[in-house]
Structures are given as structure tokens and as C-alpha cells.
Amino acid sequence: QVQLVESGGGSVQAGGSLGLSCVASGATYNAPCMAWFRQAPGKEREGVTRIDILGHVTYAHSVSGRFTTSQDPTGNTLHLQMNSLKPEDTAMYYCAASSNRWCESDFEYWGQGTQVTVSS
């Protein structure tokens, strides 16, 4: 099993920045792919960014150029730096991990989520 714990959410005005972190523990060898998802009230969950075993990162079009994800050298901590935040970025942000090294299958492990609220 892999446990994921997010931190760093909060409230910010539009144009501001926030950073999120996700710490993985347990059988982390089962989680070569890590990702951030988000879900706003009344909307479906959407992928924000993912990083595969080789460190290749992909971003949703809606956050490209504003959000940056990175991992620590152990691969067990995932960061998400969010800049130029917009009200539409308001959502619960979830860290997720997959046993598929190329992030090509469902994510088996999920954190509890951290709220990000952006006011206009």
C-alpha cells in the first residue's frame, strides 16, 4: 500500500501563488507515476499534471505555463507550484499515484485532498 498526504492548500487572491506538496510513504516502489488532480464543486475530476518514472511531466492545457510540478530526488515527494492563479483554479486538489511507470493506467492511490480557493 502507498499512503499519500497533501499539504499546502489555502486561500489566495487572483494572480497570487500557492505551493502544494504530497508525501508518499509505504510501498512507494509501487508508485512510479505521480500526479495531481482537482475537482471543483459540481464538476468532474480533472487531471492537472503527472510525472512518470523518467521524470517526464505533462500538464493540462488550462494550467500550462502557470503551474510547475517537481519531485524530490527520492521521488517520494511531489510538489506543485501554482502561479498566476485564477478563480477557476478553485478546487480540491488531490495527489495520486499509479503503479504504471508511464502513467498510462488508472491511479490506485489517492490522498485526502487539500483545498485551494482563489478569490477574484
Side-chain angles (χ1 to χ4, degrees):
Q1 274 288 46
V2 177
Q3 293 78 44
L4 303 172
V5 179
E6 305 99 332
S7 61
S11 298
V12 66
Q13 289 192 326
S17 298
L18 279 175
L20 305 182
S21 293
C22 170
V23 177
S25 61
T28 56
Y29 53 84
N30 274 343
C33 163
M34 295 185 73
W36 289 100
F37 287 79
R38 67 184 181 185
Q39 188 166 23
K43 294 189 176 181
E44 291 189 357
R45 184 175 62 199
E46 65 170 335
V48 176
T49 179
R50 56 187 63 187
I51 183 166
D52 68 20
I53 193 171
L54 292 183
H56 297 143
V57 181
T58 59
Y59 296 95
H61 178 73
S62 57
V63 306
S64 182
R66 300 187 297 121
F67 289 13
T68 303
T69 196
S70 61
Q71 274 181 317
D72 74 330
T74 68
N76 291 338
T77 301
L78 185 68
H79 302 286
L80 182 65
Q81 180 62 37
M82 304 181 291
N83 298 327
S84 302
L85 283 161
K86 305 175 181 180
E88 51 264 44
D89 294 318
T90 295
M92 185 70 79
Y93 283 70
Y94 297 92
C95 178
S98 171
S99 58
N100 184 285
R101 60 184 65 186
W102 310 118
C103 303
E104 294 175 342
S105 64
D106 292 342
F107 288 80
E108 302 102 310
Y109 309 107
W110 293 85
Q112 80 286 353
T114 186
Q115 179 68 38
V116 171
T117 302
V118 185
S119 58
S120 57

